[in-house]
Amino acid sequence: MSSIKINTVIKDMKDILGKKRYITADPGILDTYAFNWNADNLNEGKSKFANRPLCVVLPKNIHEIIRVVKYCNDNDLQFKAQSTGWGVHNTVGEENKVILLDLRRMNKILDIDEKNMIMVVEPYVNGAQAQAELFKYGLNCHIAGCGANASLLASVTSMVGQGWTGVSTGFSNRNILGVEWVQPDGNLCQVGSWGSFNESDSKKEIDASEWFLADGPGPSLRGVYRGYFGAFGGLGVFTKAAIKLYYLAGPPELETEGHSPAIILKKWKLPKYADAHMIDWQKWEDFKEGGLKLAQSGICWSLCRNAAFIVALAASPSNTEFYNNQMFQNLIKELKFNLTIITMANSKREAEYQDKVIRKIIENTNGEIVELIEAEPFKALLFMAIAKQSNTMRGVFRAGGGFFTSLGALGSWDWCVEGAKIGKNLKKKEIEKGGLVDDGADNVWGLPYENGTFSHLEELYMYDVTDPESRKASIRYLESVVEASKKYPLGLGLGTVDGKGSEMHNIFGPLACNYHKWLKKIKEKFDPNNASDPGFYINPKKVNIK
């Protein structure tokens, strides 16, 4: 533990950042950084707060970041960077030892290469900001399911997060095309083709066309810093990222009205040649076959599973309306295993072809189009929720105040469906005890990616954050998922290794090719002083290697 006093740290940070207003150790402000989604699950239901950082600093550029990182290495302190800060993974692993770098001052889209479909961004650029510019070029980016308020750079470099359009846009680590990376010891590394253009000129204006390749020759540095889950701030700071973009068959700007989160399409009209449906199957096997055929058809802009409870909850304006309106309750009873599909076409002929393909697949797999959702208002709500990610998260929080997720490892579509069945049965036990919100037990969210190449289905659950017994039920359910993962081949699911870091690596490493051995070696080699907060990544001192 460092013996340096906080007053000394504040003084030294002022010397680095220049102005005291960009540094704080005020307990009230520090607690706002410790209060984040899912903190209660992290500390076994004892508190809604995670650990408090030693102080928070707001650097404006890479030079200040490098100086802070080197300062931590020299003074036995740790650092952690966050951008938009969504989720407990952005909190610190140890109380009063970590300098938190809030990167909100680095918020620029640096360049967009329309021809090659590449965008270079700083850490605080979120999905909504990016889409507002990209739509003008007829382009789109992947946005993680947590919403358009989340950082794109964090999604592609450091976190795990799948999004609704993944069938056509991939997700997270699939879209990274190069980074500017301040390594844990303070050294600067430019990964990918861009590094070859900028070896000596760090002030050169950013040209997105130079960021066309995410790796150089030899072993993959992208695999080192990114992997599947990401390092959650445990392997340095990413200050720039190049992101792969995708063609958008749609208008340069959507005609909308209203205010967030109730932004709607004007007159409930979808863009020209766009359509939205909800398709339902009565059996898992038919759902399995229909979902894969739709994914492989190549016509889907978005294809995603949203369980009946969440569909009705998100569509209703309030909890009271949700429980009292018979229409929403009927929807929950009628829907079994459903998928939401959005298509976008360039012409009437293409739109007609897409519609024929959908209806043929439905016919061949015993599915049906949900008639209630065919009404213009519901189509428009579905489209906006997915296209702009404007109100997708409020449903899961509203039922009990808290939610988390489980399972959701990547695999084949068939394998993911089998895992979803197991998750439903595990959750049902806690629902019957009265601890979790009764969502029918089946609250699976997920989708097939990149035209069905691989998939994920995660089991969402909701609980009452104000009720200690409900928080305990949440912990018990997560523990049951870990035990089930030892028994069944459920893979590295969400809510496990991305939750408690080293503790979970000790369990899952031996079950998955001993990956924890390599993760430990990477951490030790790139971060010999353990200066980059290992709390949600891997702490070499806490991993058991036999």
Side-chain angles (χ1 to χ4, degrees):
M1 175 66 73
S2 175
S3 60
I4 192 168
K5 297 183 181 299
I6 184 60
N7 289 339
T8 302
V9 174
I10 295 298
K11 178 182 177 298
D12 293 341
M13 289 298 104
K14 183 177 180 296
D15 291 340
I16 293 173
L17 274 70
K19 294 183 179 180
K20 194 172 182 179
R21 67 184 177 127
Y22 296 128
I23 309 133
T24 186
D26 184 307
I29 296 177
L30 296 183
D31 277 349
T32 66
Y33 286 89
F35 183 80
N36 214 321
W37 166 64
N38 201 42
D40 47 346
N41 277 322
L42 182 70
N43 56 43
E44 299 180 349
K46 297 174 184 176
S47 171
K48 298 176 186 177
F49 290 84
N51 293 322
R52 180 188 282 176
L54 178 66
C55 65
V56 177
V57 299
L58 277 68
K60 68 177 180 181
N61 56 44
I62 191 172
H63 306 293
E64 292 180 354
I65 291 172
I66 289 173
R67 291 183 66 187
V68 173
V69 168
K70 289 184 175 180
Y71 179 87
C72 291
N73 275 272
D74 292 341
N75 291 279
D76 193 26
L77 293 171
Q78 292 178 337
F79 67 89
K80 182 168 185 172
Q82 71 159 233
S83 46
T84 46
W86 205 101
V88 73
H89 312 91
N90 292 278
T91 62
V92 300
E94 191 170 338
E95 187 91 4
N96 295 323
K97 180 171 181 175
V98 184
I99 295 178
L100 189 66
L101 293 92
D102 184 335
L103 304 180
R104 67 181 60 234
R105 295 174 69 196
M106 302 173 71
N107 59 2
K108 296 181 180 64
I109 297 174
L110 298 172
D111 193 30
I112 296 172
D113 179 359
E114 177 184 1
K115 179 181 178 181
N116 295 302
M117 297 192 289
I118 302 169
M119 173 176 62
V120 182
V121 298
E122 290 185 322
Y124 208 71
V125 174
N126 63 28
Q129 179 184 350
Q131 273 194 338
E133 294 300 317
L134 293 175
F135 274 31
K136 299 173 186 176
Y137 296 94
L139 297 171
N140 192 27
C141 59
H142 168 266
I143 296 177
C146 56
N149 58 310
S151 163
L152 293 182
L153 178 143
S155 176
V156 299
T157 64
S158 308
M159 301 283 179
V160 60
Q162 293 89 342
W164 305 67
T165 61
V167 69
S168 62
T169 63
F171 73 95
S172 296
N173 52 359
R174 304 287 289 176
N175 289 314
I176 186 71
L177 290 173
V179 295
E180 182 177 73
W181 175 24
V182 178
Q183 296 180 322
D185 59 2
N187 287 324
L188 178 61
C189 183
Q190 297 168 337
V191 184
S193 56
W194 178 65
S196 301
F197 290 92
N198 292 273
E199 291 180 353
S200 60
D201 187 3
S202 61
K203 295 183 180 180
K204 179 183 175 183
E205 186 175 339
I206 295 296
D207 180 354
S209 68
E210 297 173 352
W211 300 62
F212 57 85
L213 189 64
D215 273 318
S220 171
L221 271 181
R222 176 177 53 166
V224 168
Y225 72 74
R226 168 63 258 193
Y228 169 47
F229 278 99
F232 300 107
L235 209 59
V237 185
F238 299 95
T239 54
K240 295 183 182 72
I243 298 171
K244 182 179 179 181
L245 304 175
Y246 296 86
Y247 172 71
L248 176 73
E253 185 175 352
L254 297 176
E255 295 186 19
T256 62
E257 57 189 11
H259 302 281
S260 180
I263 300 174
I264 60 174
L265 290 171
K266 190 174 291 186
K267 297 182 180 179
W268 305 110
K269 292 292 185 181
L270 269 65
K272 193 175 183 180
Y273 305 134
D275 209 348
H277 302 287
M278 185 169 287
I279 305 165
D280 194 46
W281 293 266
Q282 294 299 304
K283 297 179 181 179
W284 273 118
E285 291 304 312
D286 291 335
F287 166 84
K288 188 190 295 184
E289 184 179 1
L292 186 59
K293 287 184 179 298
L294 284 168
Q296 293 176 336
S297 70
I299 65 166
C300 304
W301 185 68
S302 174
L303 180 69
C304 190
R305 170 79 200 298
N306 304 280
F309 188 89
I310 288 295
V311 171
L313 192 61
S316 57
S318 68
N319 282 0
T320 301
E321 182 77 7
F322 167 70
Y323 285 108
N324 292 339
N325 190 317
Q326 195 59 44
M327 177 182 67
F328 293 122
Q329 297 307 309
N330 289 341
L331 185 64
I332 292 174
K333 292 177 182 177
E334 291 173 11
L335 290 181
K336 294 295 183 183
F337 309 112
N338 58 292
L339 286 170
T340 298
I341 180 171
I342 292 179
T343 56
M344 299 184 75
N346 293 286
S347 65
K348 180 181 178 182
R349 184 181 178 188
E350 184 182 6
E352 289 173 346
Y353 169 76
Q354 291 172 343
D355 186 67
K356 287 179 181 178
V357 171
I358 291 170
R359 294 181 186 278
K360 188 65 175 178
I361 291 174
I362 292 172
E363 178 186 344
N364 291 341
T365 59
N366 304 312
E368 61 179 2
I369 291 177
V370 180
E371 289 302 322
L372 175 63
I373 307 299
E374 290 298 290
E376 278 191 342
F378 285 105
K379 278 181 177 278
L381 286 171
L382 274 181
F383 182 87
M384 279 300 292
I386 293 174
K388 300 298 288 184
Q389 298 279 291
S390 58
N391 63 355
T392 51
M393 290 307 300
R394 64 178 180 175
V396 286
F397 278 106
R398 216 168 58 192
F403 96 99
F404 198 40
T405 190
S406 59
L407 304 173
L410 290 179
S412 70
W413 180 246
D414 286 8
W415 178 76
C416 290
V417 171
E418 294 306 310
K421 296 177 185 178
I422 294 172
K424 175 182 177 180
N425 292 332
L426 292 174
K427 198 172 73 173
K428 188 176 181 181
K429 296 176 183 178
E430 290 300 333
I431 291 174
E432 290 173 346
K433 294 177 184 177
L436 301 181
V437 172
D438 186 358
D439 56 6
D442 168 29
N443 196 350
V444 166
W445 180 86
L447 59 149
Y449 294 93
E450 299 175 22
N451 298 319
T453 305
F454 53 94
S455 311
H456 109 282
L457 287 171
E458 59 188 270
E459 183 67 64
L460 307 178
Y461 70 93
M462 295 161 283
Y463 60 98
D464 185 349
V465 294
T466 66
D467 181 0
E469 293 305 313
S470 188
R471 295 202 299 267
K472 289 178 183 178
S474 171
I475 301 298
R476 287 197 303 269
Y477 169 68
L478 287 176
E479 290 173 346
S480 73
V481 169
V482 172
E483 290 304 311
S485 298
K486 297 177 185 178
K487 183 178 180 181
Y488 305 103
L490 297 177
L492 301 177
L494 304 170
T496 52
V497 294
D498 61 325
K500 291 194 173 182
S502 300
E503 179 183 333
M504 291 293 116
H505 294 315
N506 286 329
I507 296 172
F508 284 91
L511 300 176
C513 304
N514 289 314
Y515 74 84
H516 61 315
K517 293 183 178 180
W518 297 102
L519 212 59
K520 180 182 179 182
K521 289 179 180 180
I522 289 171
K523 178 67 171 174
E524 290 174 333
K525 187 66 176 178
F526 283 83
D527 190 8
N529 296 322
N530 207 22
S532 192
D533 182 4
F536 291 90
Y537 181 44
I538 189 167
N539 190 337
K541 299 176 182 178
K542 295 183 179 180
V543 176
N544 301 321
I545 304 293
K546 295 182 180 180

